[in-house]
Amino acid sequence: MNKLRAFAIYLAFILCCASSASAQMTRLNVGYSAVSADQLPAWVAKDSGIFTKNGLEVQLIFFTGGTTAILALVSGDVPITQVSGPGLVSSSLAGSDSVFVASGITSLNYVLMGRQGVKTTEQLKGGTLAISRFGSATDSIARFALRNVGLTPGKDVTLVQVGSGPERLNALVAGKVTAAVINPPSSFIAEKRGLAVLADVAKMGLVFQHTGAATTRKYIREHQDTVRRYVKSHVEAVHKMWTDKEATIRALSKSMPGVEREFLDKSYENVMSETLFSKKQYPSLEGLKTVLDEIAERDPRAKSAKPEQFTDSSFIRELDQSGYIDSLYKKK
């Protein structure tokens, strides 16, 4: 009887601890702005239980394109989002206090692909090029690529808003657009269907602050510990991506249902380099300078802006200087 009573007391203690731990969880809506491997840190942190381990109960919310994601951040619909450099910089220049707190992906793995029968960039003249939204990363990427091949955006080629990567791929396959800006796995699927790569942006040598973790300075002031735990989760997710391919593929497949394993594997291999997903995850000042240079062509406010205006690297620096990030990669 004494043993039974002792067990009951122990069970009550365990339940009490579990209840207390649950009560301490911070609920957090987090946005993401595309359906591609660029979004892996949040997907992996959610699927692998990293957010939960760090006391965050995260609900991931999809917004089509960086423009929509940054509007949700500024309006307070989500306090943290994964968004690309052009959207965040344009928003900040317009008066928001949004900043990157972790770099995410800092180069471009996009290609311009033509519909059936379109094999050269010369055939783009007079045609249409699909992007997600105006002001998004795909908008900037399209303009970079077109200028690089000697075409003028808006004059030689019309940019059209189509939506997410899979939606742009569908428009391309159906022949509704002349070409599209897409990245893995959509680009791999298109290649398998016989469509041609017209321009490979990755080979143009651009350093670009692409999709990173962003919040606002106001939210940092009011919820510093939540942001600290989020950035820690983000860094741990990137470590998971580097060291556990199967866990990463699992997260990718859940967020991109129906995509064949072949394309998931290729998408993983495509993004896992220090050039794209760095281990330290400092927001890229050089990449933000690239973004500013491009935006300055249509917004004069970008000409006097400094890359540092758009970042808060204090949380990454704290993790780095403490030795925590290095310690992750020393574990066996």
Side-chain angles (χ1 to χ4, degrees), residues 35-37 169 183-190 252 256 259 263-264 267:
V35 183
S36 71
L169 173 62
N183 66 336
S186 295
S187 54
F188 295 139
I189 295 170
L252 194 60
M256 307 183 73
V259 175
F263 300 127
L264 295 174
S267 298

Side-chain angles (χ1 to χ4, degrees), residues 85-86 89 103-109 137 140-141 144 148 200-211 274-278 282-295 307:
V89 168
S103 66
I105 191 165
T106 55
S107 189
L108 299 171
N109 60 339
S140 292
I141 290 163
F144 281 135
N148 192 270
D200 188 338
V201 184
K203 294 178 180 177
M204 295 177 185
L206 290 170
V207 179
F208 189 84
Q209 176 54 65
H210 193 13
T211 302
E274 188 67 25
T275 305
L276 276 79
F277 275 113
S278 67
Y282 284 96
S284 174
L285 298 180
E286 186 181 352
L288 282 166
K289 185 179 183 305
T290 303
V291 173
L292 282 167
D293 289 344
E294 191 274 329
I295 292 176

